[in-house]
Amino acid sequence: MDKSDDNPSSDHGARQSQTDFAGGWHPTFASTKRYLIIGAVSFVLVILLTTFRSHVLPTNPNKSNTNRGGPMSMINLVSEGLPANYPFQSDWEVTPRHLKQLMDEQGDYVLLDVRLPEEYKISHIEPNTFIPMQELAGRLNELHGREDDHIIVICRSGQRSLQVAEFLRQHDFTDVHSLAGGINQWAAAIDTSLPQY
C-alpha cells in the first residue's frame, strides 16, 4: 500500500479533497477562508480610499460636482424652488425663487424665452423677450444695447437655455444665466396655474 493514500496532506490526498463528485475543482476550507479574508481587506481598502479621496484630497474647482459641470451652490435647493437632487450650477443658473424675487421687486433684468412658438403658446412668463433658440443668431441685434443687463434665459427644462446662456456669453453679454429647471420647474414651484408639458 502506498503511504500517500493514508497521508491526507500528500499531494494525491489534497487533490482528492479539492474535487467534487463531477471531477471539477472544489476549494478547500482553507482556500475559501483565504478568499474571504482577501475580499474583506479589499472592501475595507475601497472604503478607506473613497473616504480619503472625498474628505482629504483637494478638489479641482474647475471640475464639477454635478452631472452638467460647474460648482454646486451651498443654498438650500428646495427652499429655492428646485428638487433636492437638482444639479444646480450657481455660475450658470438662477433659481425659480431668485427670478420671482426679481419680478416682485421689479428688478432690472431681461427674461429671454428661447422655446419654440408652439411651446410658448402652452405657457410663458410675462414680461419677456421671445426669440426661439433656432433664430437667435440671426436676431441677436434685437438684444443690442443689453450686453451688460442681467439676462435670464428660459426654456422648457433648462437644457437649451444653458446652451443659449453660453452662446450669449461668447458674444459679449456679461451677465447671462439660465432659469434652473426651466418653465416646468417654475410652474411646479412658483406659478402652479401654468401647465407643465
Side-chain angles (χ1 to χ4, degrees):
M1 182 167 157
D2 185 10
K3 289 188 177 183
S4 66
D5 290 336
D6 294 330
N7 184 355
S9 65
S10 73
D11 191 34
H12 175 70
R15 270 187 268 128
Q16 279 218 316
S17 69
Q18 292 182 1
T19 59
D20 61 27
F21 66 92
W25 180 80
H26 182 69
T28 63
F29 177 73
S31 65
T32 302
K33 185 176 174 185
R34 188 177 8 204
Y35 290 123
L36 288 174
I37 291 170
I38 291 170
V41 169
S42 298
F43 177 77
V44 169
L45 285 173
V46 167
I47 297 298
L48 289 173
L49 287 173
T50 303
T51 304
F52 177 78
R53 191 169 155 211
S54 63
H55 295 290
V56 177
L57 293 177
T59 57
N60 182 348
N62 297 324
K63 281 202 167 187
S64 166
N65 293 329
T66 70
N67 293 332
R68 293 180 0 206
M72 282 294 284
S73 172
M74 299 305 286
I75 63 171
N76 180 340
L77 294 177
V78 175
S79 70
E80 288 295 318
L82 293 169
N85 62 346
Y86 184 88
F88 182 73
Q89 303 171 75
S90 60
D91 289 347
W92 286 96
E93 296 176 302
V94 296
T95 65
R97 294 248 187 269
H98 177 82
L99 176 57
K100 176 77 167 103
Q101 183 179 357
L102 283 174
M103 293 171 78
D104 290 346
E105 295 171 356
Q106 297 180 349
D108 189 23
Y109 68 96
V110 176
L111 183 61
L112 176 62
D113 195 322
V114 296
R115 297 173 299 145
L116 295 170
E118 49 273 15
E119 292 179 285
Y120 187 82
K121 288 177 186 172
I122 295 171
S123 64
H124 57 271
I125 302 169
E126 292 287 348
N128 68 61
T129 300
F130 175 59
I131 305 175
M133 179 179 176
Q134 294 79 355
E135 300 174 15
L136 186 61
R139 295 175 58 186
L140 202 55
N141 63 325
E142 294 178 34
L143 297 174
H144 180 70
R146 313 292 311 248
E147 289 83 0
D148 294 324
D149 290 352
H150 184 44
I151 299 176
I152 300 172
V153 187
I154 186 170
C155 69
R156 178 181 170 269
S157 63
Q159 297 299 311
R160 288 174 286 176
S161 55
L162 275 172
Q163 293 174 20
V164 169
E166 183 176 5
F167 172 82
L168 290 173
R169 287 185 186 187
Q170 290 170 354
H171 286 82
D172 300 325
F173 289 83
T174 59
D175 190 10
V176 185
H177 292 84
S178 167
L179 178 64
I183 198 162
N184 277 349
Q185 190 57 42
W186 174 269
I190 306 296
D191 185 354
T192 56
S193 70
L194 290 178
Q196 296 182 46
Y197 65 97

